[in-house]
Amino acid sequence: MKHTLSVLLQNKPGVLSRVTGLFSGRGFNIKSLSVAETLDPSLSCLTLVTTGSDPIVEQITKQLHKLIDVIKVTDISESEYVEREMALIRVKAENTTRAEVLRVIDIFRGKVVDVSPKSYAVEVTGSSSKIQAIIDILRPIGIKEIVRTGTIAMARAPK
Amino acid sequence: MGKMRGSEAIIQCLLEEGVKTIFGFPGGAVIDLYDDLMDSEVNHILVRHEQGAVHAADGFARVTGNVGVALLTSGPGATNGVTAIATAYMDSIPMVILTGQVPTALIGNDAFQEVDIVGITRPCTKHNYLVSKAEDLVPTIREAFHIAQTGRPGPVLIDLPKDIVASIVDFTEKKPIRMQNYQPTYEPHMGQIEKACKQILKAKQPVLYVGGGVILSNASKELTELAQKLNIPVTMTLMGLGAYPGSDKLSMGMLGMHGSYTANMAVAKSDVLIAVGSRFDDRVTGRVDAFAPHAKIIHIDIDPTSISKNVTVDIPIVADCKHSLTAMNSWLDNSGENLGEVCDSHNPWIETVDEWTKKHPMTYIDEGEVIKPQYVIEKLDELTHGDAIITTEVGQNQMWAAQFYKFNKPRRLITSGGLGTMGYGLPAAIGAKMAFPEATVIDVAGDGSIQMNIQELATAKQYNCNVIVCILNNNYLGMVRQWQELFYDKRYAATVMEVTPDFCALAEAYGAVGIRATKTSEVEGVIKEALEKVKESTVILDFRIAREEGVFPMVPAGKATTEMLLV
């Protein structure tokens, strides 16, 4: 089962290494990981996507919480949440395909962020599956380079 | 209060925490601190190898319950300490390790004797710090002591760059430490206590399975009260030995791989298993699905990660062992239940337990004048009235000590349980003796593991720290040899110690006394002599034991604990 954990951390050197070391040392999975400062610059928020059975994910949550520099761990996939990823994709765009690439980008509500005579660089955001979908569509046209972020996620406000 | 050198502030912090003895080894990066230590009230014990310093501080911590402190220099000094830090981490021992570091301006430059010790020890410390600003020095040391000894205790390392130690810092007043992100739960949830007590009252075949957590939280008295209040047999893990009096009729001794037949059978047949401060380690459970298969499991542990990690628990209680047992005792006293009747109702169960002990007691085969190691331990127990502090190395010596010495009080068995570190016993014995100079301290050793930190005999000599090293000498790495005998067709790969020093001559070289025994009839006299001579000098006893003696009972790895190989 896929779980998305939101982890509030002290924004100090070495903290990320404590988290990743915990995962590698105990054989837990990291599917993706994304971390940045919060509004309070002394804290950072880390979104981590992992997979495992319920007991494993419970252990992961408890072990994370045991790290002194970890303040809060929430398994946000336990309730309603929104998640986003971003990808920058450089796709071949030559005479015959330029128009088609633009149409695809438009369908996925992407943006062209760099243009050259032979390619477009596209910015696209969305859920993991949406990013995967545009990649699948663009692949036959010719993807030259791709950079993806990890997932970031936020619980939905209570109704 | 006020301004002082970093090194002075460190010493002030130690004194503030009540630290009077530290163990260490100097070097360039900590030379400033040593300079100030020389004139301070803190007593520094110079070891011969940094691993010895950390083990000694660990032994000191285990016998006293206070934070043990070690001081090492940067680079190799720090890395030499890593095995001992991991040892303390696995057994949850409260310690603060101070390591020197190259000046902040040189960090990351591959400077002389530079190593990223904070990176190296991240997975084997409870927490660690690199002090990068002078104003952080004092608060960091205070926080480190707080973390080391609260919650589930553990070692905390502080890396001290040379320029920070030499700089002028503000020694501020100590305030209570409150950390937003670290607040261990001491008090049990009363609803869970009630549930647990009700479950225990329903039990017909209850077992208390007790670990090192009871010793760490000084809960022996409360545990004993609970066991005796309800007439519940008790088994202990290696780390828990002494938590309940080993000579008492309710004690079943140790459980697990080399546990007693009784203890393993009782756990297997129990209907309620009360795990207190124990962590369902693989050496205890054997094959997990066959461990206490019929029991409702109650688990008290201050560390939430211990709960349902290896074995699914029915009633978890995340809290301090002492607080929880106190709450359970008082709930039971006020429950209105006739506790005398409950006790009586357990009598058939106790009879079953006693039958197991009669059928398969902890025993060995007498071979006349060939010295049996178990006999040596029995004699040690008898001649020290079960009241010595026993440290051990790791392997057969450790298991025989655990099986045949009756630990009646907590903090009497000082052994590397989780990590199983050979070379632990001698430095730990020195640490224990430093804490209690009047106590009889005996390191039960094998001829293999004693050689891993034998250089500490010089430390013992220098500080008149007289201990007995009882070597059960079989010229083998005995435990591995036993596995090879049983599971590898007696192919003794790399376990025959073809060259072993003359331990008596070695003792003399270090200014200690060496005595050898080669026959059973000599054992008692030799131990008596050692107990006399240790008043003046460290004594090495070289017992030439039955070479291929094994440790039994034994549960082969991966088997159920009821599938024991017996004597």
Side-chain angles (χ1 to χ4, degrees):
Chain A
M1 250 288 267
K2 190 184 108 177
H3 287 255
T4 306
L5 306 180
S6 180
V7 186
L8 197 62
L9 308 161
Q10 300 278 0
N11 188 6
K12 286 197 287 202
V15 177
L16 184 60
S17 144
R18 289 183 202 278
V19 172
T20 52
L22 168 67
F23 275 73
S24 58
R26 293 190 180 267
F28 301 144
N29 292 316
I30 299 180
K31 297 284 278 186
S32 91
L33 186 151
S34 168
V35 59
E37 209 171 277
T38 63
L39 269 183
D40 175 351
S42 72
L43 303 177
S44 9
C45 179
L46 180 150
T47 308
L48 191 148
V49 180
T50 183
T51 53
S53 61
D54 286 352
I56 296 279
V57 174
E58 186 187 327
Q59 238 339 277
I60 291 175
T61 311
K62 290 200 269 191
Q63 292 285 359
L64 278 171
H65 205 80
K66 193 167 151 181
L67 296 175
I68 305 279
D69 288 327
V70 168
I71 294 164
K72 198 174 163 197
V73 184
T74 325
D75 184 350
I76 56 175
S77 46
E78 276 184 341
S79 53
E80 292 291 306
Y81 70 106
V82 280
E83 62 166 20
R84 288 292 178 271
E85 271 179 34
M86 188 172 92
L88 294 174
I89 306 166
R90 190 181 305 283
V91 60
K92 235 192 252 175
E94 288 161 351
N95 291 343
T96 51
T97 55
R98 276 182 103 83
E100 191 192 344
V101 169
L102 282 179
R103 271 200 302 278
V104 172
I105 294 168
D106 194 41
I107 293 167
F108 283 90
R109 286 185 226 159
K111 264 197 309 201
V112 176
V113 290
D114 186 39
V115 183
S116 80
K118 290 192 170 168
S119 70
Y120 289 132
V122 185
E123 169 200 313
V124 60
T125 63
S127 65
S128 203
S129 55
K130 177 179 160 187
I131 307 280
Q132 198 53 52
I134 188 170
I135 291 170
D136 291 345
I137 300 282
L138 292 179
R139 195 190 307 257
I141 301 169
I143 294 176
K144 300 171 101 170
E145 191 184 352
I146 183 161
V147 185
R148 290 175 76 165
T149 67
T151 303
I152 54 167
M154 187 184 263
R156 286 190 189 276
K159 300 243 162 70
Chain B
M1 301 300 137
K3 304 270 181 201
M4 58 179 77
R5 280 190 305 279
S7 46
E8 288 176 295
I10 294 166
I11 293 165
Q12 283 308 311
C13 285
L14 295 179
L15 292 170
E16 188 179 80
E17 300 290 340
V19 176
K20 295 197 182 69
T21 305
I22 68 171
F23 302 84
F25 199 98
V30 284
I31 200 161
D32 297 271
L33 187 45
Y34 269 90
D35 193 52
D36 276 315
L37 261 178
M38 208 171 168
D39 309 318
S40 80
E41 295 161 51
V42 176
N43 183 20
H44 176 268
I45 309 300
L46 173 66
V47 297
R48 296 301 184 268
H49 184 288
E50 288 89 350
Q51 184 186 356
V54 182
H55 282 327
D58 167 314
F60 188 95
R62 291 188 204 222
V63 292
T64 59
N66 301 329
V67 178
V69 179
L71 170 58
L72 317 174
T73 193
S74 66
T79 51
N80 271 347
V82 171
T83 299
I85 295 170
T87 303
Y89 181 66
M90 285 292 268
D91 291 342
S92 309
I93 304 307
M95 291 189 64
V96 169
I97 298 100
L98 305 169
T99 51
Q101 182 54 282
V102 301
T104 42
L106 290 182
I107 291 179
N109 282 8
D110 300 328
F112 177 65
Q113 293 196 328
E114 182 192 354
V115 77
D116 174 16
I117 196 63
V118 169
I120 288 173
T121 58
R122 225 170 254 141
C124 63
T125 51
K126 184 170 172 187
H127 196 53
N128 59 17
Y129 302 88
L130 168 67
V131 181
S132 51
K133 291 193 294 255
E135 67 257 36
D136 291 344
L137 180 64
V138 172
T140 301
I141 296 173
R142 287 170 176 163
E143 196 173 284
F145 271 90
H146 174 70
I147 292 173
Q149 59 193 319
T150 51
R152 177 178 180 174
V156 179
L157 180 139
I158 312 173
D159 204 19
L160 301 162
K162 186 170 168 147
D163 55 321
I164 304 269
V165 175
S167 66
I168 299 296
V169 304
D170 206 2
F171 191 80
T172 50
E173 199 184 331
K174 189 178 181 185
K175 296 191 190 102
I177 292 172
R178 219 172 269 133
M179 295 171 69
Q180 182 194 6
N181 41 330
Y182 172 73
Q183 287 151 343
T185 313
Y186 279 80
E187 289 304 325
H189 184 279
M190 284 315 288
Q192 293 296 91
I193 292 287
E194 184 176 335
K195 252 201 226 167
C197 289
K198 285 184 171 160
Q199 190 71 55
I200 296 170
L201 286 173
K202 273 191 275 184
K204 294 196 171 59
Q205 307 192 148
V207 167
L208 273 157
Y209 147 49
V210 173
V214 171
I215 291 173
L216 292 167
S217 79
N218 296 313
S220 289
K221 189 171 137 269
E222 292 75 12
L223 169 77
T224 307
E225 185 185 333
L226 177 66
Q228 296 182 352
K229 194 192 294 291
L230 297 180
N231 198 21
I232 301 175
V234 184
T235 179
M236 287 158 276
T237 67
L238 179 65
M239 298 311 299
L241 287 174
Y244 188 84
S247 313
D248 187 84
K249 60 182 177 27
L250 286 176
S251 168
M252 301 184 289
M254 187 168 72
L255 80 166
M257 183 174 274
H258 292 296
S260 71
Y261 178 82
T262 311
N264 284 336
M265 290 306 287
V267 169
K269 302 291 176 198
S270 66
D271 60 355
V272 173
L273 184 71
I274 312 150
V276 193
S278 45
R279 59 186 179 90
F280 298 84
D281 171 80
D282 56 282
R283 286 294 189 265
V284 160
T285 60
R287 209 178 80 220
V288 170
D289 58 334
F291 182 74
H294 315 295
K296 288 275 180 207
I297 299 180
I298 299 164
H299 189 190
I300 304 173
D301 203 297
I302 198 160
D303 179 1
T305 66
S306 289
I307 292 187
S308 293
K309 182 170 71 179
N310 302 331
V311 169
T312 311
V313 168
D314 299 291
I315 306 176
I317 298 174
V318 177
D320 176 67
C321 291
K322 192 186 184 84
H323 289 238
S324 306
L325 291 167
T326 305
M328 282 166 82
N329 284 327
S330 110
W331 191 94
L332 289 163
D333 287 340
N334 298 316
S335 64
E337 294 280 337
N338 185 337
L339 298 182
E341 261 174 34
V342 177
C343 281
D344 292 344
S345 75
H346 294 159
N347 281 341
W349 171 232
I350 299 288
E351 276 164 33
T352 312
V353 168
D354 290 344
E355 303 262 311
W356 282 324
T357 309
K358 260 182 229 144
K359 202 165 124 202
H360 295 293
M362 197 55 90
T363 189
Y364 56 93
I365 295 161
D366 180 11
E367 286 179 38
E369 282 292 43
V370 180
I371 300 178
K372 285 305 187 94
Q374 301 94 333
Y375 174 78
V376 175
I377 306 291
E378 279 180 343
K379 279 288 153 195
L380 277 180
D381 180 48
E382 185 189 313
L383 296 169
T384 58
H385 314 289
D387 204 26
I389 294 172
I390 304 290
T391 71
T392 77
E393 304 292 335
V394 165
Q396 290 185 315
N397 61 81
Q398 179 185 33
M399 289 300 109
W400 285 320
Q403 291 178 330
F404 289 89
Y405 199 93
K406 299 266 178 291
F407 296 95
N408 284 316
K409 291 180 191 161
R411 302 191 184 280
R412 287 292 197 275
L413 172 61
I414 308 300
T415 190
S416 168
L419 198 66
T421 308
M422 290 170 73
Y424 173 79
L426 177 57
I430 291 171
K433 184 73 179 177
M434 284 293 168
F436 294 117
E438 301 305 313
T440 303
V441 180
I442 304 172
D443 171 27
V444 174
D447 55 295
S449 43
I450 190 60
Q451 293 185 67
M452 285 210 180
N453 271 318
I454 200 153
Q455 76 286 345
E456 299 309 330
L457 284 172
T459 310
K461 177 71 183 170
Q462 179 170 340
Y463 296 94
N464 249 331
C465 182
N466 301 329
V467 300
I468 298 174
V469 180
C470 169
I471 302 176
L472 304 172
N473 186 347
N474 55 12
N475 270 136
Y476 277 126
L477 298 172
M479 187 58 96
V480 181
R481 186 210 59 79
Q482 179 174 340
W483 283 49
Q484 289 168 334
E485 178 187 338
L486 295 169
F487 314 119
Y488 292 85
D489 297 331
K490 299 197 178 186
R491 285 161 50 82
Y492 296 157
T495 46
V496 187
M497 298 296 259
E498 284 169 25
V499 174
T500 298
D502 175 341
F503 288 113
C504 292
L506 191 70
E508 274 173 37
Y510 276 108
V513 173
I515 315 170
R516 181 166 297 127
T518 53
K519 291 189 293 214
T520 304
S521 55
E522 294 167 353
V523 171
E524 182 164 345
V526 160
I527 295 174
K528 281 184 177 160
E529 189 182 345
L531 288 169
E532 205 44 50
K533 292 213 164 125
V534 76
K535 291 171 187 161
E536 303 296 329
S537 164
T538 285
V539 181
I540 291 190
L541 295 178
D542 181 13
F543 290 106
R544 297 302 178 88
I545 61 163
R547 287 198 70 201
E548 303 209 347
E549 184 68 10
V551 180
F552 295 103
M554 177 177 191
V555 179
K559 296 273 187 181
T561 48
T562 47
E563 300 173 73
M564 285 167 272
L565 308 174
L566 299 164
V567 174

